[in-house]
Amino acid sequence: GAGVSQSPSNKVTEKGKDVELRCDPISGHTALYWYRQSLGQGLEFLIYFQGNSAPDKSGLPSDRFSAERTGGSVSTLTIQRTQQEDSAVYLCASSLLSGAKYFGPGTRLLVL
Amino acid sequence: EDKVVQSPLSLVVHEGDTVTLNCSYEVTNFRSLLWYKQEKKAPTFLFMLTSSGIEKKSGRLSSILDKKELFSILNITATQTGDSAVYLCAVAPNFGNEKLTFGTGTRLTIIP
């Protein structure tokens, strides 16, 4: 596609529910990243996929967070048993290897 | 721990003024520095800098990197109201390790 797309654009959920956030990277980009940005904070790295290599999960804040990337393209970030502190904008980016990272429009998650 | 510091935290200027935004970094490994503009949710890529002393320019925006003093500046000349945004600086470590470390950004407001 022309750019990185993410869905949904906004998600409101109740504490304790599971949510799935989707990212569709730029066609041909081998690398895919998830970041989150809490209100007034900088971007926090979550996870990074590169080709068929094992993902770098070092930024995932707890075992409630997981992500997968199917077929080297679309990625899903899953948050289980959501907590209020999970409320943030979740941003996905993609790039060619070591190239500039292009961000999607983000998913704004609100946990009530 | 890798650290990226941006200054000032916020800046308010009149339309037509020139501004300089600063980004300094302390990281274990350095490969490139990136500048982004964030207006609503998605950071928009501006520049990627890898070599010292070489200015990158795009219209009224320009940026330069100093790898000896570990900083970069982003200049915007003849500012317009559309330049109002948060400007983010990020550092990428070694080739093959693509986890960006972001600063918290500079909020720029242009008054008509």
Side-chain angles (χ1 to χ4, degrees):
Chain A
V4 179
S5 60
Q6 292 186 244
S7 62
S9 51
N10 293 282
K11 177 73 177 178
V12 181
T13 191
E14 293 178 348
K15 179 181 170 182
K17 301 279 190 184
D18 297 352
V19 295
E20 283 190 353
L21 312 180
R22 176 189 166 104
C23 172
D24 212 326
I26 292 172
S27 178
H29 279 190
T30 55
L32 186 148
Y33 317 79
W34 284 97
Y35 285 81
R36 74 174 175 182
Q37 188 174 31
S38 302
L39 190 63
Q41 302 297 312
L43 274 75
E44 175 191 2
F45 168 80
L46 297 177
I47 188 168
Y48 156 58
F49 296 89
Q50 172 56 50
N52 295 322
S53 302
D56 178 347
K57 305 179 183 180
S58 59
L60 294 179
S62 78
D63 59 8
R64 296 185 297 104
F65 287 73
S66 63
E68 63 177 23
R69 188 179 185 193
T70 53
S73 181
V74 172
S75 176
T76 302
L77 176 69
T78 301
I79 310 174
Q80 295 178 309
R81 305 180 303 282
T82 51
Q83 304 293 312
Q84 289 180 330
E85 61 263 29
D86 299 335
S87 296
V89 176
Y90 287 82
L91 291 159
C92 175
S94 72
S95 73
L96 295 171
L97 180 62
S98 298
K101 282 70 173 162
Y102 295 90
F103 283 85
T107 294
R108 188 180 300 279
L109 175 66
L110 178 61
V111 182
L112 300 175
Chain B
E1 183 183 336
D2 292 352
K3 190 163 61 172
V4 177
V5 178
Q6 292 186 245
S7 64
L9 292 180
S10 66
L11 186 58
V12 181
V13 300
H14 286 96
E15 201 167 21
D17 288 352
T18 293
V19 297
T20 298
L21 310 183
N22 303 291
C23 175
S24 63
Y25 58 92
E26 292 178 27
V27 297
T28 306
N29 296 295
F30 176 90
R31 184 176 54 76
S32 61
L33 184 144
L34 298 93
W35 283 98
Y36 289 87
K37 176 183 181 183
Q38 186 174 31
E39 293 178 85
K40 291 184 178 176
K41 285 196 288 189
T44 304
F45 171 76
L46 296 175
F47 298 110
M48 184 165 76
L49 304 157
T50 55
S51 301
S52 267
I54 298 174
E55 184 184 53
K56 291 221 172 177
K57 198 169 170 64
S58 175
R60 297 177 294 101
L61 278 67
S62 63
S63 184
I64 197 161
L65 173 67
D66 185 329
K67 289 166 73 172
K68 182 180 175 186
E69 300 298 329
L70 308 183
F71 78 92
S72 172
I73 59 172
L74 175 69
N75 279 319
I76 309 175
T77 59
T79 52
Q80 302 171 357
T81 54
D83 296 328
S84 295
V86 174
Y87 289 83
L88 297 168
C89 171
V91 170
N94 284 342
F95 181 89
N97 178 353
E98 298 299 317
K99 185 167 68 176
L100 295 179
T101 300
F102 278 86
T104 53
T106 292
R107 181 173 296 279
L108 176 64
T109 303
I110 309 298
I111 301 170

